[in-house]
Amino acid sequence: MTADCDRDALVVRVKKEGPACHLGTDSCFEYPVEPERTPRAGAFGQPGFGTDDLYEMLLDRKEKRPEGSYTSYLFDKGIDKILKKVGEESTEVIIAGKAGDKAETVYEIADLAYHVLVLMADMGIEPEEIRAELASRHIIDKKVKQEKMV
């Protein structure tokens, strides 16, 4: 058994007997997170799992609060814990990026994206609102920042 750097997640290796997931599969972690624009199937021929899918799952966890779920734990702890995790993951992205470690940066960006989506679900911010905001910025991408003249 090992812990991550901030001691809030564990990796436990076990010799299991039978399926580990309530769906009867060997693991609950068989669905890769892929961008919506990627039509590839996920693991074992399952459809891809994109950010909209993850957001919907987070909303479900927010509503049902299944016991033992890390997402449920975050919602139970509330906005302060969620924001703390967003901050921690942002810092970890910066550290990995500064180190030039692409694999670690990808890993940390995935953690940050997850925690930002938890924040969005907690605040009732839909992914479409973010897409619309980004699209509106594309239109004004020639905006000039004015600085005070000294």
Side-chain angles (χ1 to χ4, degrees):
M1 184 166 35
T2 57
D4 70 341
C5 60
D6 55 1
R7 309 268 193 271
D8 65 355
L10 297 174
V11 173
V12 180
R13 298 195 189 279
V14 298
K15 292 181 181 178
K16 65 178 187 62
E17 294 181 11
C21 177
H22 72 285
L23 297 175
T25 58
D26 285 335
S27 171
C28 292
F29 300 95
E30 297 177 353
Y31 304 98
V33 176
E34 299 177 7
E36 290 83 7
R37 68 181 183 275
T38 305
R40 294 180 288 154
F44 305 106
Q46 297 293 323
F49 187 78
T51 53
D52 284 345
D53 301 307
L54 177 55
Y55 184 79
E56 291 302 317
M57 185 197 76
L58 294 173
L59 290 178
D60 184 66
R61 296 279 166 85
K62 182 180 178 186
E63 178 185 334
K64 297 178 181 170
R65 308 281 173 107
E67 189 174 325
S69 162
Y70 175 66
T71 304
S72 296
Y73 162 79
L74 289 173
F75 287 129
D76 287 344
K77 289 294 183 181
I79 191 71
D80 288 343
K81 180 63 174 178
I82 294 167
L83 291 171
K84 179 181 177 191
K85 289 305 297 180
V86 169
E88 289 174 5
E89 298 305 338
S90 297
T91 301
E92 291 171 6
V93 168
I94 292 166
I95 292 167
K98 181 68 176 163
D101 186 332
K102 182 178 178 179
E104 185 67 15
T105 304
V106 167
Y107 181 87
E108 296 301 345
I109 289 172
D111 279 353
L112 176 59
Y114 162 80
H115 286 91
V116 166
L117 285 166
V118 170
L119 173 63
M120 290 169 55
D122 190 65
M123 295 184 68
I125 299 170
E126 298 283 334
E128 185 52 41
E129 293 176 76
I130 304 302
R131 285 191 284 272
E133 175 62 26
L134 290 171
S136 75
R137 291 180 184 191
H138 176 71
I139 294 168
I140 59 170
D141 66 350
K142 295 185 181 195
K143 183 176 165 182
V144 176
K145 179 180 177 182
Q146 295 182 0
E147 297 180 5
K148 289 185 178 180
M149 300 299 284
V150 181

